[in-house]
Amino acid sequence: MNEQWVSFANEIKKMYGKYFVPLHEPTFNDTEIEYVTDCVKSGWVSSVGKYVDRFERELAEFTGVKRAVAVVNGTAALQIAMKIAGVKPNDEVFMPALTFIATANAASYLQAIPHFVDVSEETLGLDPMKLEEYIKEIGVMKNGNLVNKKTDRIIRAVVPMHTFGHPVDLDPLVELCLRYNLALVEDAAESLGSYYKGKHTGGFGVAAALSFNGNKIMTTGGGGAILTNDERLADYAKHITTTAKVPHQWEYVHDEIGYNYRMPNLNAALGCAQLTKIEGFLASKRALAIRYEKLVEQIDGTRLFMEPTFATSNYWLQTVILDSEVHRRDDVLALLNDAGAMARPIWTPLNELSEYKICPKDELTVTEKLKETIINIPSNPLKGHAFYDKT
Ligand SMILES: *Cc1c(COP(=O)(O)O)cnc(C)c1O
């Protein structure tokens, strides 16, 4: 068994031509240097400039939503997406327990309370069927709002997260949100370039958040964006992320407590350059998944997680599912990392973290199972693929 993992690591090193292969790192070429240099030369490196406008326009175009508002990071995008969707202090927000901590932190910044629910083995994301059963058990409609019978708090929103780029089953979730007056806010931080039944993720609810952190499918250094099909909400998101400043030639008038969350032009320049290559990144990651699927097949008790039937995934992080009868997760992680192929487990479920232990939650049987059986392996686009030559 150990030899199988070591030879797998050796295959990975051969594929990438490296002695140690990182999990994920940014891919740049002359285009980034050209755009960023142009930005520096223009003097417009800060929070206004032509690259911010262009980046927002092109993001909206690529994702098929009406508007995108660029901000400093994905966590800030998620906070503002929830805020414009109506999340208020003391509201509860349904979210998967198996997600990156930013999903819960963004709700906490609004003084809302994360309410953890279980995920599906088919998507690795929020399970709409199980959520429906749970709502019937703990919820009651009062004055048009869903109220948690146990805490007497309003449950305002649902925040599904498209794990490693694989879309959750959105149709039943949209229907559930309509029925119980819940705002749907997608944490699409990992799913730029992922489609549900042919439509880009991030356009199914009131708003969504993207992240352009250095480890994501494309990067702006640090950055994020709020997506929405509601022009009025987009204008409001732009306003409050720009210190809520009322436009005036010289006066400083701010009409509420806003945030300084604008994405600097310098970062947007990097983003515009990366966006010109997004189709190449996606094609390369898909090709990598097909190669990995064959390699992983040769290891007993493992499989590569493949996109759900209704989805076209961006395959952001390649994911191996271990049979827990055959493998101990941490043994596998040690073998791969020692052999030079970086590998990491999925996140610790948020309900287990000290600051989120007290939050309300459903029983989390699938979460419990998956946390022991999911690892990520090196996922960078492979060299030699077409996008390297495209500028
Ligand atoms: C990366 C990520 C975020 C946050 O993005 P940052 O840009 O790092 O703030 C939020 N949610 C999920 C699921 C992520 O993977």
Side-chain angles (χ1 to χ4, degrees):
M1 193 58 67
N2 289 10
E3 303 84 76
Q4 288 185 337
W5 287 110
V6 172
S7 64
F8 180 53
N10 287 336
E11 276 307 317
I12 296 174
K13 286 191 286 188
K14 220 190 299 167
M15 234 161 56
Y16 282 97
K18 285 184 175 179
Y19 290 108
F20 183 84
V21 188
L23 195 70
H24 209 279
E25 58 186 358
T27 303
F28 299 136
N29 64 8
D30 291 346
T31 315
E32 282 78 7
I33 294 168
E34 183 194 317
Y35 281 43
V36 171
T37 304
D38 175 62
C39 180
V40 173
K41 283 184 176 162
S42 79
W44 293 90
V45 295
S46 199
S47 42
V48 285
K50 66 174 186 183
Y51 284 111
V52 175
D53 298 337
R54 174 175 160 183
F55 190 50
E56 290 181 339
R57 210 172 47 240
E58 291 183 350
L59 270 179
E61 214 169 282
F62 181 75
T63 57
V65 296
K66 282 222 179 81
R67 294 275 298 278
V69 176
V71 293
V72 287
N73 58 53
T75 313
L78 202 49
Q79 179 191 349
I80 300 304
M82 286 188 215
K83 187 178 167 74
I84 64 174
V87 173
K88 294 178 189 61
N90 212 36
D91 285 347
E92 291 182 10
V93 176
F94 283 135
M95 63 182 67
L98 205 55
T99 180
F100 179 55
I101 194 166
T103 319
N105 285 350
S108 303
Y109 299 157
L110 297 170
Q111 281 115 54
I113 294 115
H115 189 149
F116 300 119
V117 292
D118 209 5
V119 294
S120 135
E121 285 193 69
E122 191 200 342
T123 65
L124 311 181
L126 200 145
D127 182 342
M129 310 304 161
K130 193 161 175 184
L131 179 60
E132 179 175 6
E133 292 309 308
Y134 183 56
I135 289 174
K136 284 178 181 160
E137 180 193 323
I138 62 126
V140 61
M141 292 304 287
K142 277 189 200 167
N143 304 321
N145 292 312
L146 180 65
V147 170
N148 180 344
K149 282 191 275 194
K150 293 180 187 160
T151 61
D152 213 33
R153 289 188 290 243
I154 293 174
I155 306 172
R156 190 75 67 182
V158 184
V159 184
M161 193 278 287
H162 307 298
T163 309
F164 308 138
H166 299 293
V168 307
D169 195 359
L170 281 157
D171 279 347
L173 207 52
V174 167
E175 195 275 322
L176 211 59
C177 286
L178 276 174
R179 191 169 356 140
Y180 290 105
N181 192 21
L182 294 161
L184 180 62
V185 177
E186 289 170 79
D187 182 343
E190 304 182 354
S191 67
L192 183 70
S194 295
Y195 298 80
Y196 176 77
K197 297 185 180 172
K199 184 177 158 187
H200 199 285
T201 52
F204 288 81
V206 184
L210 299 175
S211 166
F212 309 110
N213 193 31
N215 63 345
K216 296 300 202 289
I217 190 155
M218 60 155 273
T219 187
T220 58
I226 300 136
L227 301 179
T228 180
N229 284 309
D230 186 320
E231 296 278 359
R232 199 181 46 85
L233 291 181
D235 289 340
Y236 181 56
K238 188 76 188 171
H239 181 62
I240 58 173
T241 54
T242 316
T243 66
K245 186 178 180 299
V246 180
H248 189 281
Q249 206 174 353
W250 56 77
E251 293 283 11
Y252 292 101
V253 179
H254 305 260
D255 60 3
E256 68 175 287
I257 299 177
Y259 306 82
N260 182 15
Y261 280 178
R262 291 170 295 187
M263 175 182 282
N265 203 41
L266 197 53
N267 300 76
L270 193 61
C272 288
Q274 290 261 284
L275 253 189
T276 65
K277 294 179 283 188
I278 186 74
E279 296 291 358
F281 291 156
L282 291 167
S284 174
K285 276 172 177 289
R286 178 161 293 273
L288 181 62
I290 291 163
R291 276 177 85 160
Y292 267 140
E293 193 183 19
K294 296 209 180 73
L295 288 175
V296 172
E297 243 170 38
Q298 292 161 20
I299 309 167
D300 304 328
T302 61
R303 67 185 168 90
L304 194 76
F305 185 84
M306 301 304 281
E307 65 201 354
T309 49
F310 47 66
T312 308
S313 174
N314 66 6
Y315 285 98
W316 168 55
L317 281 189
Q318 306 285 345
T319 303
V320 176
I321 312 280
L322 307 170
D323 181 343
S324 58
E325 311 260 295
V326 184
H327 302 282
R328 274 201 41 228
R329 186 194 77 176
D330 289 0
D331 294 345
V332 173
L333 290 173
L335 279 166
L336 287 176
N337 283 292
D338 289 348
M342 189 169 166
R344 292 190 74 179
I346 198 166
W347 313 278
T348 302
L350 300 187
N351 58 294
E352 294 179 19
L353 301 178
S354 56
E355 58 269 55
Y356 289 122
K357 261 189 188 131
I358 52 159
C359 292
K361 59 174 189 287
D362 188 10
E363 48 138 8
L364 301 167
T365 35
V366 179
T367 301
E368 287 299 315
K369 179 179 172 195
L370 290 182
K371 77 170 184 189
E372 298 297 343
T373 57
I374 292 181
I375 63 168
N376 294 122
I377 53 176
S379 303
N380 263 4
L382 282 168
K383 267 209 167 65
H385 210 272
F387 75 89
Y388 264 87
D389 311 317
K390 198 179 156 217
T391 50

